[in-house]
Amino acid sequence: RLEGAEGDEARELALGWLLEGYRFARYKEREAPRARLLAPEGVDAAAVERLAEAERLARDLINAPANELGPAELEAAVREVAGRFGAAVAVVRGEALAEGFPLVATVGRAAPAHRAPRLIGMEWGAEGPALTLVGKGVCFDTGGLDIKPSASMLLMKKDMGGAACALACAQAIMAAGLRVRLRLLVPAVENAVGGDAFRPGDILRSRKGLTVEVNNTDAEGRLILADALTYAAEGEPGLTASFATLTGAARVAVGPDLAPFFTDDEGLAGALTRGGAAWFDPVWRLPFHEPYEALIEPGIADLDNAPSGGMAGAITAALFLRRFAPAAYVHFDVFAWSQTDQPGRPKGGLWQGGRALLAALPEALGLRWTGA
């Protein structure tokens, strides 16, 4: 029971209590106790519970080891959430994937058959403004032929953190009954080393028709997102938000606790900043700095997936994605991991950017939260 707190403090304590109670205990002999809350007067307990449940989903997926969470298991997680809310799921794989989503198929083609790449789609809601969520689903990233050193590979089970963050957002929206036409797109792959792995120097053709020179096979996330964002733009995407554990440069810029975001929409940027502060999900805007566009144009192809020089890596990656994205677009470059035990943030997987986005949706889409 929480007593003696009011307003924003009470809401922060209520949410923090539930988040602090999370433990990833799947491999322990005894299951961790689950925190429950009797919130003080003035706090929307149902909303706080929805957010805590969404965070629990994201953390469980990110914390799962890669041997137990590959593309097929990520698909199963989407299907489980969809089944609870009556959402429709469609998955593209095999020859259809190679023809329709060639970058997704290329990045994932070296993985064994039981971890084959796929494009996972979910749709929910028949009325209201459109909202599309896209999440990077690299279930393990070796770096490909540009293989990562061992120390850099230790946390690569979390390279599907963007997909987990996007799915957590979708769950919270459906649980609240927000009046939107929601679509979730998750390109799910394993970036493996094998005889059929794509190579540095390869030139790939995207779903959009733009060609991409591969200058680093470890810059694979932007490749699979490019095809998914192109697909999003072909329909009526409305506001589109992508989540991805995309660049180390973002961590250098703002550290692990802040999720940088990119958007051309000034109103949306303000709503996200306010929403992140209101719901204790710190975000920071970085620019789509257009003079850097030349850095992602190699000359031999339309685009370069890994510009040389090491400068502005988070911005050039975001500019790459913007070449494929719908007009109303925001991109979150998340770390999706708490490196140490912090209040409400036990060490391990972390939902980042999601609460900020959810808090911004009423202003961005002209809606209000109506669900219980």
mmCIF file with all atom_site columns, all heavy atoms in Angstrom, residues 275-292:
data_model
loop_
_atom_site.group_PDB
_atom_site.id
_atom_site.type_symbol
_atom_site.label_atom_id
_atom_site.label_alt_id
_atom_site.label_comp_id
_atom_site.label_asym_id
_atom_site.label_entity_id
_atom_site.label_seq_id
_atom_site.pdbx_PDB_ins_code
_atom_site.Cartn_x
_atom_site.Cartn_y
_atom_site.Cartn_z
_atom_site.occupancy
_atom_site.B_iso_or_equiv
_atom_site.pdbx_formal_charge
_atom_site.auth_seq_id
_atom_site.auth_comp_id
_atom_site.auth_asym_id
_atom_site.auth_atom_id
_atom_site.pdbx_PDB_model_num
ATOM 1   N N   . GLY A 1 275 ? 6.449  13.869 -22.635 1.00 0.00 ? 275 GLY A N   1
ATOM 2   C CA  . GLY A 1 275 ? 5.958  12.554 -22.235 1.00 0.00 ? 275 GLY A CA  1
ATOM 3   C C   . GLY A 1 275 ? 7.005  11.732 -21.521 1.00 0.00 ? 275 GLY A C   1
ATOM 4   O O   . GLY A 1 275 ? 6.710  11.031 -20.546 1.00 0.00 ? 275 GLY A O   1
ATOM 5   N N   . GLY A 1 276 ? 8.252  11.817 -21.991 1.00 0.00 ? 276 GLY A N   1
ATOM 6   C CA  . GLY A 1 276 ? 9.327  11.096 -21.321 1.00 0.00 ? 276 GLY A CA  1
ATOM 7   C C   . GLY A 1 276 ? 9.529  11.583 -19.902 1.00 0.00 ? 276 GLY A C   1
ATOM 8   O O   . GLY A 1 276 ? 9.767  10.786 -18.982 1.00 0.00 ? 276 GLY A O   1
ATOM 9   N N   . ALA A 1 277 ? 9.432  12.901 -19.697 1.00 0.00 ? 277 ALA A N   1
ATOM 10  C CA  . ALA A 1 277 ? 9.591  13.453 -18.347 1.00 0.00 ? 277 ALA A CA  1
ATOM 11  C C   . ALA A 1 277 ? 8.415  13.056 -17.465 1.00 0.00 ? 277 ALA A C   1
ATOM 12  O O   . ALA A 1 277 ? 8.592  12.725 -16.280 1.00 0.00 ? 277 ALA A O   1
ATOM 13  C CB  . ALA A 1 277 ? 9.714  14.971 -18.425 1.00 0.00 ? 277 ALA A CB  1
ATOM 14  N N   . ALA A 1 278 ? 7.205  13.075 -18.019 1.00 0.00 ? 278 ALA A N   1
ATOM 15  C CA  . ALA A 1 278 ? 6.013  12.778 -17.227 1.00 0.00 ? 278 ALA A CA  1
ATOM 16  C C   . ALA A 1 278 ? 5.956  11.319 -16.793 1.00 0.00 ? 278 ALA A C   1
ATOM 17  O O   . ALA A 1 278 ? 5.440  11.007 -15.718 1.00 0.00 ? 278 ALA A O   1
ATOM 18  C CB  . ALA A 1 278 ? 4.759  13.136 -18.025 1.00 0.00 ? 278 ALA A CB  1
ATOM 19  N N   . TRP A 1 279 ? 6.490  10.422 -17.640 1.00 0.00 ? 279 TRP A N   1
ATOM 20  C CA  . TRP A 1 279 ? 6.416  8.991  -17.340 1.00 0.00 ? 279 TRP A CA  1
ATOM 21  C C   . TRP A 1 279 ? 7.803  8.380  -17.115 1.00 0.00 ? 279 TRP A C   1
ATOM 22  O O   . TRP A 1 279 ? 7.984  7.179  -17.279 1.00 0.00 ? 279 TRP A O   1
ATOM 23  C CB  . TRP A 1 279 ? 5.650  8.254  -18.432 1.00 0.00 ? 279 TRP A CB  1
ATOM 24  C CG  . TRP A 1 279 ? 4.166  8.376  -18.223 1.00 0.00 ? 279 TRP A CG  1
ATOM 25  C CD1 . TRP A 1 279 ? 3.302  9.170  -18.919 1.00 0.00 ? 279 TRP A CD1 1
ATOM 26  C CD2 . TRP A 1 279 ? 3.392  7.706  -17.229 1.00 0.00 ? 279 TRP A CD2 1
ATOM 27  N NE1 . TRP A 1 279 ? 2.030  9.028  -18.420 1.00 0.00 ? 279 TRP A NE1 1
ATOM 28  C CE2 . TRP A 1 279 ? 2.052  8.131  -17.376 1.00 0.00 ? 279 TRP A CE2 1
ATOM 29  C CE3 . TRP A 1 279 ? 3.693  6.787  -16.219 1.00 0.00 ? 279 TRP A CE3 1
ATOM 30  C CZ2 . TRP A 1 279 ? 1.018  7.683  -16.566 1.00 0.00 ? 279 TRP A CZ2 1
ATOM 31  C CZ3 . TRP A 1 279 ? 2.657  6.334  -15.400 1.00 0.00 ? 279 TRP A CZ3 1
ATOM 32  C CH2 . TRP A 1 279 ? 1.344  6.777  -15.574 1.00 0.00 ? 279 TRP A CH2 1
ATOM 33  N N   . PHE A 1 280 ? 8.778  9.211  -16.738 1.00 0.00 ? 280 PHE A N   1
ATOM 34  C CA  . PHE A 1 280 ? 10.051 8.709  -16.209 1.00 0.00 ? 280 PHE A CA  1
ATOM 35  C C   . PHE A 1 280 ? 10.763 7.791  -17.200 1.00 0.00 ? 280 PHE A C   1
ATOM 36  O O   . PHE A 1 280 ? 11.288 6.741  -16.852 1.00 0.00 ? 280 PHE A O   1
ATOM 37  C CB  . PHE A 1 280 ? 9.805  8.002  -14.862 1.00 0.00 ? 280 PHE A CB  1
ATOM 38  C CG  . PHE A 1 280 ? 8.705  8.635  -14.067 1.00 0.00 ? 280 PHE A CG  1
ATOM 39  C CD1 . PHE A 1 280 ? 7.470  8.025  -13.931 1.00 0.00 ? 280 PHE A CD1 1
ATOM 40  C CD2 . PHE A 1 280 ? 8.896  9.888  -13.496 1.00 0.00 ? 280 PHE A CD2 1
ATOM 41  C CE1 . PHE A 1 280 ? 6.439  8.638  -13.235 1.00 0.00 ? 280 PHE A CE1 1
ATOM 42  C CE2 . PHE A 1 280 ? 7.873  10.514 -12.797 1.00 0.00 ? 280 PHE A CE2 1
ATOM 43  C CZ  . PHE A 1 280 ? 6.642  9.890  -12.659 1.00 0.00 ? 280 PHE A CZ  1
ATOM 44  N N   . ASP A 1 281 ? 10.734 8.224  -18.446 1.00 0.00 ? 281 ASP A N   1
ATOM 45  C CA  . ASP A 1 281 ? 11.347 7.486  -19.552 1.00 0.00 ? 281 ASP A CA  1
ATOM 46  C C   . ASP A 1 281 ? 12.227 8.483  -20.306 1.00 0.00 ? 281 ASP A C   1
ATOM 47  O O   . ASP A 1 281 ? 11.823 9.029  -21.327 1.00 0.00 ? 281 ASP A O   1
ATOM 48  C CB  . ASP A 1 281 ? 10.250 6.924  -20.459 1.00 0.00 ? 281 ASP A CB  1
ATOM 49  C CG  . ASP A 1 281 ? 10.789 6.078  -21.604 1.00 0.00 ? 281 ASP A CG  1
ATOM 50  O OD1 . ASP A 1 281 ? 11.960 5.653  -21.536 1.00 0.00 ? 281 ASP A OD1 1
ATOM 51  O OD2 . ASP A 1 281 ? 10.035 5.843  -22.568 1.00 0.00 ? 281 ASP A OD2 1
ATOM 52  N N   . PRO A 1 282 ? 13.428 8.758  -19.832 1.00 0.00 ? 282 PRO A N   1
ATOM 53  C CA  . PRO A 1 282 ? 14.217 9.868  -20.375 1.00 0.00 ? 282 PRO A CA  1
ATOM 54  C C   . PRO A 1 282 ? 14.615 9.655  -21.829 1.00 0.00 ? 282 PRO A C   1
ATOM 55  O O   . PRO A 1 282 ? 15.171 8.629  -22.195 1.00 0.00 ? 282 PRO A O   1
ATOM 56  C CB  . PRO A 1 282 ? 15.444 9.911  -19.461 1.00 0.00 ? 282 PRO A CB  1
ATOM 57  C CG  . PRO A 1 282 ? 15.535 8.546  -18.858 1.00 0.00 ? 282 PRO A CG  1
ATOM 58  C CD  . PRO A 1 282 ? 14.125 8.066  -18.728 1.00 0.00 ? 282 PRO A CD  1
ATOM 59  N N   . VAL A 1 283 ? 14.297 10.656 -22.652 1.00 0.00 ? 283 VAL A N   1
ATOM 60  C CA  . VAL A 1 283 ? 14.649 10.643 -24.070 1.00 0.00 ? 283 VAL A CA  1
ATOM 61  C C   . VAL A 1 283 ? 15.327 11.969 -24.410 1.00 0.00 ? 283 VAL A C   1
ATOM 62  O O   . VAL A 1 283 ? 15.221 12.950 -23.671 1.00 0.00 ? 283 VAL A O   1
ATOM 63  C CB  . VAL A 1 283 ? 13.406 10.431 -24.968 1.00 0.00 ? 283 VAL A CB  1
ATOM 64  C CG1 . VAL A 1 283 ? 12.790 9.061  -24.729 1.00 0.00 ? 283 VAL A CG1 1
ATOM 65  C CG2 . VAL A 1 283 ? 12.361 11.525 -24.726 1.00 0.00 ? 283 VAL A CG2 1
ATOM 66  N N   . TRP A 1 284 ? 16.036 12.002 -25.535 1.00 0.00 ? 284 TRP A N   1
ATOM 67  C CA  . TRP A 1 284 ? 16.758 13.206 -25.929 1.00 0.00 ? 284 TRP A CA  1
ATOM 68  C C   . TRP A 1 284 ? 16.758 13.288 -27.446 1.00 0.00 ? 284 TRP A C   1
ATOM 69  O O   . TRP A 1 284 ? 17.099 12.316 -28.121 1.00 0.00 ? 284 TRP A O   1
ATOM 70  C CB  . TRP A 1 284 ? 18.192 13.161 -25.411 1.00 0.00 ? 284 TRP A CB  1
ATOM 71  C CG  . TRP A 1 284 ? 18.894 14.487 -25.506 1.00 0.00 ? 284 TRP A CG  1
ATOM 72  C CD1 . TRP A 1 284 ? 19.702 14.929 -26.518 1.00 0.00 ? 284 TRP A CD1 1
ATOM 73  C CD2 . TRP A 1 284 ? 18.826 15.542 -24.557 1.00 0.00 ? 284 TRP A CD2 1
ATOM 74  N NE1 . TRP A 1 284 ? 20.152 16.197 -26.260 1.00 0.00 ? 284 TRP A NE1 1
ATOM 75  C CE2 . TRP A 1 284 ? 19.629 16.609 -25.058 1.00 0.00 ? 284 TRP A CE2 1
ATOM 76  C CE3 . TRP A 1 284 ? 18.180 15.709 -23.331 1.00 0.00 ? 284 TRP A CE3 1
ATOM 77  C CZ2 . TRP A 1 284 ? 19.790 17.805 -24.370 1.00 0.00 ? 284 TRP A CZ2 1
ATOM 78  C CZ3 . TRP A 1 284 ? 18.341 16.904 -22.644 1.00 0.00 ? 284 TRP A CZ3 1
ATOM 79  C CH2 . TRP A 1 284 ? 19.144 17.934 -23.171 1.00 0.00 ? 284 TRP A CH2 1
ATOM 80  N N   . ARG A 1 285 ? 16.376 14.451 -27.967 1.00 0.00 ? 285 ARG A N   1
ATOM 81  C CA  . ARG A 1 285 ? 16.291 14.592 -29.410 1.00 0.00 ? 285 ARG A CA  1
ATOM 82  C C   . ARG A 1 285 ? 17.665 14.843 -30.029 1.00 0.00 ? 285 ARG A C   1
ATOM 83  O O   . ARG A 1 285 ? 18.424 15.684 -29.553 1.00 0.00 ? 285 ARG A O   1
ATOM 84  C CB  . ARG A 1 285 ? 15.366 15.760 -29.768 1.00 0.00 ? 285 ARG A CB  1
ATOM 85  C CG  . ARG A 1 285 ? 15.079 15.850 -31.268 1.00 0.00 ? 285 ARG A CG  1
ATOM 86  C CD  . ARG A 1 285 ? 14.240 17.068 -31.592 1.00 0.00 ? 285 ARG A CD  1
ATOM 87  N NE  . ARG A 1 285 ? 13.855 17.097 -33.004 1.00 0.00 ? 285 ARG A NE  1
ATOM 88  C CZ  . ARG A 1 285 ? 13.241 18.128 -33.568 1.00 0.00 ? 285 ARG A CZ  1
ATOM 89  N NH1 . ARG A 1 285 ? 12.938 19.204 -32.844 1.00 0.00 ? 285 ARG A NH1 1
ATOM 90  N NH2 . ARG A 1 285 ? 12.936 18.075 -34.855 1.00 0.00 ? 285 ARG A NH2 1
ATOM 91  N N   . LEU A 1 286 ? 17.960 14.079 -31.081 1.00 0.00 ? 286 LEU A N   1
ATOM 92  C CA  . LEU A 1 286 ? 19.120 14.323 -31.936 1.00 0.00 ? 286 LEU A CA  1
ATOM 93  C C   . LEU A 1 286 ? 18.620 14.713 -33.326 1.00 0.00 ? 286 LEU A C   1
ATOM 94  O O   . LEU A 1 286 ? 17.498 14.372 -33.704 1.00 0.00 ? 286 LEU A O   1
ATOM 95  C CB  . LEU A 1 286 ? 20.013 13.080 -32.014 1.00 0.00 ? 286 LEU A CB  1
ATOM 96  C CG  . LEU A 1 286 ? 20.768 12.697 -30.737 1.00 0.00 ? 286 LEU A CG  1
ATOM 97  C CD1 . LEU A 1 286 ? 21.597 11.440 -30.971 1.00 0.00 ? 286 LEU A CD1 1
ATOM 98  C CD2 . LEU A 1 286 ? 21.659 13.830 -30.258 1.00 0.00 ? 286 LEU A CD2 1
ATOM 99  N N   . PRO A 1 287 ? 19.437 15.404 -34.115 1.00 0.00 ? 287 PRO A N   1
ATOM 100 C CA  . PRO A 1 287 ? 18.937 15.960 -35.380 1.00 0.00 ? 287 PRO A CA  1
ATOM 101 C C   . PRO A 1 287 ? 19.114 15.040 -36.581 1.00 0.00 ? 287 PRO A C   1
ATOM 102 O O   . PRO A 1 287 ? 20.093 14.298 -36.682 1.00 0.00 ? 287 PRO A O   1
ATOM 103 C CB  . PRO A 1 287 ? 19.798 17.212 -35.556 1.00 0.00 ? 287 PRO A CB  1
ATOM 104 C CG  . PRO A 1 287 ? 21.118 16.826 -34.949 1.00 0.00 ? 287 PRO A CG  1
ATOM 105 C CD  . PRO A 1 287 ? 20.786 15.938 -33.784 1.00 0.00 ? 287 PRO A CD  1
ATOM 106 N N   . PHE A 1 288 ? 18.159 15.108 -37.506 1.00 0.00 ? 288 PHE A N   1
ATOM 107 C CA  . PHE A 1 288 ? 18.376 14.632 -38.872 1.00 0.00 ? 288 PHE A CA  1
ATOM 108 C C   . PHE A 1 288 ? 19.188 15.727 -39.574 1.00 0.00 ? 288 PHE A C   1
ATOM 109 O O   . PHE A 1 288 ? 18.635 16.562 -40.297 1.00 0.00 ? 288 PHE A O   1
ATOM 110 C CB  . PHE A 1 288 ? 17.042 14.453 -39.602 1.00 0.00 ? 288 PHE A CB  1
ATOM 111 C CG  . PHE A 1 288 ? 16.296 13.190 -39.289 1.00 0.00 ? 288 PHE A CG  1
ATOM 112 C CD1 . PHE A 1 288 ? 14.971 13.235 -38.857 1.00 0.00 ? 288 PHE A CD1 1
ATOM 113 C CD2 . PHE A 1 288 ? 16.887 11.958 -39.468 1.00 0.00 ? 288 PHE A CD2 1
ATOM 114 C CE1 . PHE A 1 288 ? 14.258 12.065 -38.599 1.00 0.00 ? 288 PHE A CE1 1
ATOM 115 C CE2 . PHE A 1 288 ? 16.188 10.777 -39.212 1.00 0.00 ? 288 PHE A CE2 1
ATOM 116 C CZ  . PHE A 1 288 ? 14.869 10.837 -38.767 1.00 0.00 ? 288 PHE A CZ  1
ATOM 117 N N   . HIS A 1 289 ? 20.482 15.742 -39.372 1.00 0.00 ? 289 HIS A N   1
ATOM 118 C CA  . HIS A 1 289 ? 21.311 16.840 -39.875 1.00 0.00 ? 289 HIS A CA  1
ATOM 119 C C   . HIS A 1 289 ? 21.593 16.606 -41.358 1.00 0.00 ? 289 HIS A C   1
ATOM 120 O O   . HIS A 1 289 ? 22.442 15.783 -41.733 1.00 0.00 ? 289 HIS A O   1
ATOM 121 C CB  . HIS A 1 289 ? 22.609 16.906 -39.077 1.00 0.00 ? 289 HIS A CB  1
ATOM 122 C CG  . HIS A 1 289 ? 23.459 18.098 -39.396 1.00 0.00 ? 289 HIS A CG  1
ATOM 123 N ND1 . HIS A 1 289 ? 22.996 19.390 -39.312 1.00 0.00 ? 289 HIS A ND1 1
ATOM 124 C CD2 . HIS A 1 289 ? 24.752 18.186 -39.814 1.00 0.00 ? 289 HIS A CD2 1
ATOM 125 C CE1 . HIS A 1 289 ? 23.956 20.230 -39.639 1.00 0.00 ? 289 HIS A CE1 1
ATOM 126 N NE2 . HIS A 1 289 ? 25.030 19.528 -39.962 1.00 0.00 ? 289 HIS A NE2 1
ATOM 127 N N   . GLU A 1 290 ? 20.894 17.328 -42.204 1.00 0.00 ? 290 GLU A N   1
ATOM 128 C CA  . GLU A 1 290 ? 20.910 17.031 -43.638 1.00 0.00 ? 290 GLU A CA  1
ATOM 129 C C   . GLU A 1 290 ? 22.274 17.196 -44.317 1.00 0.00 ? 290 GLU A C   1
ATOM 130 O O   . GLU A 1 290 ? 22.555 16.500 -45.299 1.00 0.00 ? 290 GLU A O   1
ATOM 131 C CB  . GLU A 1 290 ? 19.833 17.842 -44.340 1.00 0.00 ? 290 GLU A CB  1
ATOM 132 C CG  . GLU A 1 290 ? 18.437 17.402 -43.912 1.00 0.00 ? 290 GLU A CG  1
ATOM 133 C CD  . GLU A 1 290 ? 17.337 17.950 -44.788 1.00 0.00 ? 290 GLU A CD  1
ATOM 134 O OE1 . GLU A 1 290 ? 17.655 18.717 -45.715 1.00 0.00 ? 290 GLU A OE1 1
ATOM 135 O OE2 . GLU A 1 290 ? 16.169 17.593 -44.541 1.00 0.00 ? 290 GLU A OE2 1
ATOM 136 N N   . PRO A 1 291 ? 23.158 18.087 -43.859 1.00 0.00 ? 291 PRO A N   1
ATOM 137 C CA  . PRO A 1 291 ? 24.482 18.130 -44.505 1.00 0.00 ? 291 PRO A CA  1
ATOM 138 C C   . PRO A 1 291 ? 25.247 16.801 -44.430 1.00 0.00 ? 291 PRO A C   1
ATOM 139 O O   . PRO A 1 291 ? 26.175 16.592 -45.212 1.00 0.00 ? 291 PRO A O   1
ATOM 140 C CB  . PRO A 1 291 ? 25.208 19.237 -43.724 1.00 0.00 ? 291 PRO A CB  1
ATOM 141 C CG  . PRO A 1 291 ? 24.120 20.149 -43.285 1.00 0.00 ? 291 PRO A CG  1
ATOM 142 C CD  . PRO A 1 291 ? 22.967 19.236 -42.954 1.00 0.00 ? 291 PRO A CD  1
ATOM 143 N N   . TYR A 1 292 ? 24.848 15.914 -43.498 1.00 0.00 ? 292 TYR A N   1
ATOM 144 C CA  . TYR A 1 292 ? 25.512 14.608 -43.409 1.00 0.00 ? 292 TYR A CA  1
ATOM 145 C C   . TYR A 1 292 ? 24.962 13.594 -44.400 1.00 0.00 ? 292 TYR A C   1
ATOM 146 O O   . TYR A 1 292 ? 25.444 12.450 -44.446 1.00 0.00 ? 292 TYR A O   1
ATOM 147 C CB  . TYR A 1 292 ? 25.378 14.035 -41.994 1.00 0.00 ? 292 TYR A CB  1
ATOM 148 C CG  . TYR A 1 292 ? 26.136 14.806 -40.933 1.00 0.00 ? 292 TYR A CG  1
ATOM 149 C CD1 . TYR A 1 292 ? 25.822 14.621 -39.581 1.00 0.00 ? 292 TYR A CD1 1
ATOM 150 C CD2 . TYR A 1 292 ? 27.153 15.695 -41.252 1.00 0.00 ? 292 TYR A CD2 1
ATOM 151 C CE1 . TYR A 1 292 ? 26.508 15.320 -38.595 1.00 0.00 ? 292 TYR A CE1 1
ATOM 152 C CE2 . TYR A 1 292 ? 27.831 16.399 -40.279 1.00 0.00 ? 292 TYR A CE2 1
ATOM 153 C CZ  . TYR A 1 292 ? 27.509 16.210 -38.944 1.00 0.00 ? 292 TYR A CZ  1
ATOM 154 O OH  . TYR A 1 292 ? 28.177 16.894 -37.966 1.00 0.00 ? 292 TYR A OH  1
#
